[in-house]
Amino acid sequence: MKITAHYMLAALLVAAGMQGRAASKTTRTARQPFPEKGFWVTETAPDKKSTIVRYYAHSNHLVSETTEPGVLDIRKLSVRKYLNEKLRKELERDTTGQSALRLYELNQEQ
């Protein structure tokens, strides 16, 4: 009788362990889609009804700033893809040429 109880307990622990691993795989987030060049930054507007999005070519060159009419949830893959596509379009429209600046060119300017 004790052996049966031990087997039942072991089977219960194995089943619980398998369920925990299965649950962790289903809640896994999708891969982050990284843009090819530049980056974007989002900020919820003070009215909490819109989102301010800033598009940068590199760490210190602001390409543009726009206001999206709703609050964007950047945890969603579709929103990140949308912002990456808008970033690509903004970088294409950038006429200053700052987006083509390379790190090795910074030292030569001095």
Side-chain angles (χ1 to χ4, degrees), residues 1-15:
M1 182 119 152
K2 284 186 176 183
I3 294 175
T4 307
H6 288 281
Y7 283 126
M8 292 288 282
L9 181 60
L12 182 65
L13 290 174
V14 168

Side-chain angles (χ1 to χ4, degrees), residues 83-98:
L83 290 174
N84 288 344
E85 182 62 27
K86 294 232 0 176
L87 171 65
R88 186 185 62 77
K89 289 177 183 176
E90 292 294 328
L91 288 174
E92 286 176 359
R93 289 184 359 186
D94 183 26
T95 59
T96 62
Q98 291 289 329

